[in-house]
Every structure is written in C-alpha cells, then in structure tokens.
Amino acid sequence: MISVEKHSEGPQTFVVYRRSWKEAISAFLRKGFEPTGAMAPMGVRLSPLGYALIFILIGSVVLYLQVWMRGSSDKKNPKLTLGQDGDVHSMSVDISLKELLAVSIDLAEKGGDKVREIREANKLAEQSKGETREGANDPMTDGDLQSHIAIVHGFEKVFPRLKVVSEEHEKKGDEVHTVEAPKTTHPEVDEVIKEDRRVPYEDITVWVDPLDATQEYTEDLRQYVTTMVCVAIKGKPTIGVIHKPFEHRTAWAWVGHGHSKGLNVLERKAGEEGQAQRIIVSRSHAGSVEQVAKQMLGDKTEVIPAGGAGYKVLSLFEGIADAYIHVTLIKKWDICAGNALLLAMNGHMTTLGGEEINYSAEGNPKNEGGLLATLVDHQKFLEKFAPEAKKLAEKH
C-alpha cells in the first residue's frame, strides 16, 4: 500500500506520497486492469477499482488545472516540490518579489494621486475616528479612504491571495470595481534589480498606510504627507516604498537587492565633538520628548518636531536629523516601510529597548515599546535612552 500523510500550508491541505510515482502507477494499473471472469482469455476489462481510479484521475487533473489557471499576472502556478527520488513532498504557490516591488511602487503613487487630487480640490470630507491615547484628534478624510481603495484593491486585482493590512477600511457599498490594475513592471526597478526571488504567499504580509500624517493633511501642511507600502517576509521588513505625493517623489528599497536612485544617505556622524545632535519627533508630543532628549543627550540637543513617520525616516537620509525618536504607541503600518528602507541602507529601526519589530499579520499591529530609527550610531542612542526604555517596559 501507499503511505499517505496530510500536511497543511495556509488554507490548503496537501498530500505527501511516500511511494515513487512509477511504483504507485504500476500498482494501480495492476489492480485496476487485471483480467476477470470469462473475458480473461479474450482480453482485459476494468474491475470496479479500475473505474474508480479513472474517475479519481480525471477529477484530479481538472482540479489541478483550475488551481494552475487561477490567479494573477505571475500566474500563481502551483509548484510541485519533488525529491530526488521523484516523490511529491509538498505543493506551494509563490510570488515574484521583483514584480511585487513594481506593483507596490505603482500603487503607492496611485494612492498618492488620490491624496493630492482631494487636497487640491479641498474636498476632504473630514471625520474623526476618535482620540489617540494622548488625547489628540485622530482624523480620517476622503483622501485616506480613496487612497486605501486604490492601493488595497489594486493589490487584489493582481494578487488576490495576498495578505494586506491597511490602516483604513472602506465603507460597505463603496465602488471598487473601477479601481485601475497596477503595472507589474517598473523601469527603474528593471534597471537596478538584476535578479528576482520567489516567495510563498503565506510568508508575505503587506502593510499599507494610505495617507500618513492625516492631521497635517487637514492643516494643509503638505510637506509631511506620504503614502506607504511595505512588504514583510516572515515578519521581517523586506520591501519599502515611501511616496511624497505633493513632491512627486518616491523612495523605495528591497533589502539586499537594491534601492531607488534618489535614496541617498546624506549622513553626518552623530555625536562628533562640539556637534549638537538633532532628534526628530512627533509634533504632538515634542515638548515631552525634548525634555527627555536633553536629559539623555545633553542641553545642546536640537529637537525637531515634524508630522508623519514616513517624513521622519526620510529626514534621516536627507541629513535633517541624526535620529528619529518616538516614545508612545505607534502602529506598524506607520513604520514598516521606513524600517525596510533603513535596513537596505545599513540603518536600524528598533524599539527604544533595542528589540526588532515583528511585522507578521498575526501579530499585534501596535508597537508599544517606543521607537528609535538611525542610520549611524544606533547602539549609542540605545544606551543613552535606556532609562526611558525601562520606563516604557514597566508601563506595559
């Protein structure tokens, strides 16, 4: 007999055959097409088992073809993983990360187009989602919503099985059938990225912030506004896209493979003698962080208030700040893309306690441990802010 084991991968169950294909087929044929009764001398007729085998084989072929044909531009072809002996060990569906990068760039820019059009038409339709933990208003606008629809449903059109986590959720009944399908190639990606990598769908989580710095967006402080897409592989930020819609500028990176030409590191060595260190922080709690920063880093420390996590990360590349500090709760869709960009350029983003942040879809979307982002001297900043990290840990 054939030894059969069932294995689950994501929503599907797959079968592992321990006998080789040739042995299995030979055994089935011997059983299904054996001589029977009076007809044996004249020829061969099907036994009941033979009829059953034919129906099973036909059904299996039809099911396989349906799965093979379903999906997106990468064809989502089921891939059979075969051992050297010809045994079937597993079946999985994978995706091209180069194509996913191109789609992420295109969708971040399409979302940005919605954000810019609605702001310029001054049709924000602002609502409040409530208050943040610090008591600040947490607004949502039509720019957030339309960008969300363009990005999330754009991914769905190309990669319908992809796990996408977005800050926003459209209202029931919103029209999504008119969403334009994204481009699956990008000229700069093709020029910079020379090799591809395929990854199983179940390992991928996409984090989307359709409009970062919504409060500043409502105040018409356009320089802080970004749209962001991040691809995490097994919880690790791998592809990051930060688009500035009012500057028509996009920064992207794929860790270990390449980055956009405009993503330059205009760093200066933090902590050089006589040089004041510059810390960029949220506008909503700049005062409290300034006090902490000067206690930890010295009175010469310059604290720069700004809106939007995406803007703050880009400020590190532009030489505006030496470190980005956040001491309260922040959501992972705010920081995943920036984390990927920093990793691609040998920078770091961790909690204030130095812990790496996990971006798996199954995890908590809240990051409670504060945030430290740097391009240089990350460990030195961690040591300076260790007392503040300890206070945060005691609260949670």
Side-chain angles (χ1 to χ4, degrees):
M1 295 181 65
I2 298 177
S3 175
V4 178
E5 297 178 7
K6 289 187 177 181
H7 292 259
S8 295
E9 292 186 14
Q12 301 181 9
T13 300
F14 308 103
V15 177
V16 177
Y17 294 89
R18 294 302 180 191
R19 182 178 290 181
S20 72
W21 285 81
K22 292 180 180 179
E23 292 171 348
I25 292 171
S26 297
F28 276 130
L29 289 175
R30 284 197 299 272
K31 287 288 184 181
F33 298 93
E34 57 189 11
T36 60
M39 292 294 294
M42 300 294 294
V44 176
R45 71 177 183 181
L46 289 178
S47 69
L49 179 57
Y51 284 112
L53 288 174
I54 288 176
F55 283 116
I56 290 171
L57 288 171
I58 292 173
S60 299
V61 170
V62 171
L63 179 61
Y64 179 86
L65 289 174
Q66 286 178 339
V67 174
W68 185 79
M69 294 175 68
R70 185 190 306 149
S72 65
S73 60
D74 76 343
K75 305 194 188 311
K76 297 184 176 61
N77 295 334
K79 304 295 180 183
L80 297 178
T81 303
L82 303 177
Q84 292 182 352
D85 58 357
D87 288 357
V88 180
H89 292 292
S90 67
M91 180 186 284
S92 63
V93 184
D94 58 20
I95 184 172
S96 159
L97 289 189
K98 185 174 181 180
E99 184 174 322
L100 183 54
L101 168 59
V103 169
S104 298
I105 295 169
D106 191 51
L107 290 178
E109 292 176 350
K110 280 182 166 62
D113 291 342
K114 298 293 184 183
V115 167
R116 186 178 60 256
E117 290 165 7
I118 290 168
R119 177 66 268 184
E120 290 177 348
N122 199 28
K123 295 181 179 179
L124 273 60
E126 181 181 350
Q127 306 171 42
S128 177
K129 294 189 287 186
E131 292 186 349
T132 66
R133 187 176 291 180
E134 293 76 37
N137 180 45
D138 186 12
M140 184 183 76
T141 69
D142 203 36
D144 297 83
L145 184 59
Q146 294 304 318
S147 177
H148 161 87
I149 291 172
I151 296 173
V152 172
H153 293 285
F155 274 118
E156 188 178 358
K157 285 208 166 185
V158 184
F159 307 116
R161 304 177 71 180
L162 201 60
K163 289 177 290 188
V164 180
V165 182
S166 175
E167 179 178 7
E168 308 300 343
H169 303 277
E170 73 268 21
K171 301 173 185 176
K172 187 176 181 180
D174 278 341
E175 297 295 332
V176 297
H177 65 276
T178 57
V179 171
E180 182 182 354
K183 298 175 183 176
T184 55
T185 60
H186 188 279
E188 188 179 38
V189 170
D190 289 339
E191 181 180 353
V192 173
I193 305 297
K194 301 304 181 184
E195 57 184 15
D196 199 359
R197 177 187 169 199
R198 301 190 71 88
V199 175
Y201 273 80
E202 58 266 28
D203 291 347
I204 303 173
T205 303
V206 176
W207 294 84
V208 173
D209 193 341
L211 199 170
D212 190 37
T214 301
Q215 181 60 48
E216 287 72 22
Y217 182 66
T218 64
E219 298 172 18
D220 209 14
L221 298 173
R222 305 182 182 194
Q223 70 271 26
Y224 297 127
V225 175
T226 61
T227 58
M228 295 189 287
V229 174
C230 178
V231 176
I233 308 296
K234 292 185 176 180
K236 296 182 179 181
T238 303
I239 289 173
V241 181
I242 301 179
H243 174 61
K244 301 188 81 171
F246 296 102
E247 298 177 18
H248 301 276
R249 184 161 65 92
T250 304
W252 60 264
W254 177 4
V255 178
H257 288 75
H259 57 84
S260 56
K261 296 177 181 179
L263 190 65
N264 301 313
V265 182
L266 303 177
E267 65 181 50
R268 68 169 191 170
K269 191 69 173 175
E272 289 182 357
E273 187 175 352
Q275 187 178 59
Q277 296 177 49
R278 300 166 299 176
I279 311 298
I280 194 162
V281 302
S282 172
R283 292 172 69 226
S284 62
H285 55 268
S288 60
V289 177
E290 182 171 7
Q291 182 181 359
V292 171
K294 289 188 174 181
Q295 286 176 352
M296 305 300 172
L297 303 174
D299 291 336
K300 292 184 179 180
T301 302
E302 179 184 357
V303 174
I304 306 167
Y311 174 90
K312 296 184 191 77
V313 167
L314 291 179
S315 74
L316 302 177
F317 291 95
E318 295 164 357
I320 294 171
D322 302 308
Y324 165 27
I325 304 288
H326 195 86
V327 297
T328 58
L329 179 149
I330 192 166
K331 302 293 180 63
K332 291 179 181 178
W333 45 68
D334 290 312
I335 57 178
C336 185
N339 200 337
L341 263 61
L342 287 165
L343 286 176
M345 306 298 284
N346 299 314
H348 297 278
M349 179 183 285
T350 65
T351 67
L352 278 178
E355 299 167 336
E356 299 293 332
I357 300 166
N358 187 302
Y359 296 93
S360 297
E362 297 75 17
N364 190 339
K366 301 176 182 178
N367 175 56
E368 303 261 13
L371 191 75
L372 173 64
T374 63
L375 279 166
V376 294
D377 287 346
H378 194 80
Q379 188 59 40
K380 290 182 180 179
F381 279 107
L382 284 176
E383 292 169 0
K384 294 287 187 180
F385 279 89
E388 188 66 19
K390 184 179 179 181
K391 291 180 184 177
L392 282 172
E394 290 171 351
K395 288 181 182 179
H396 304 289

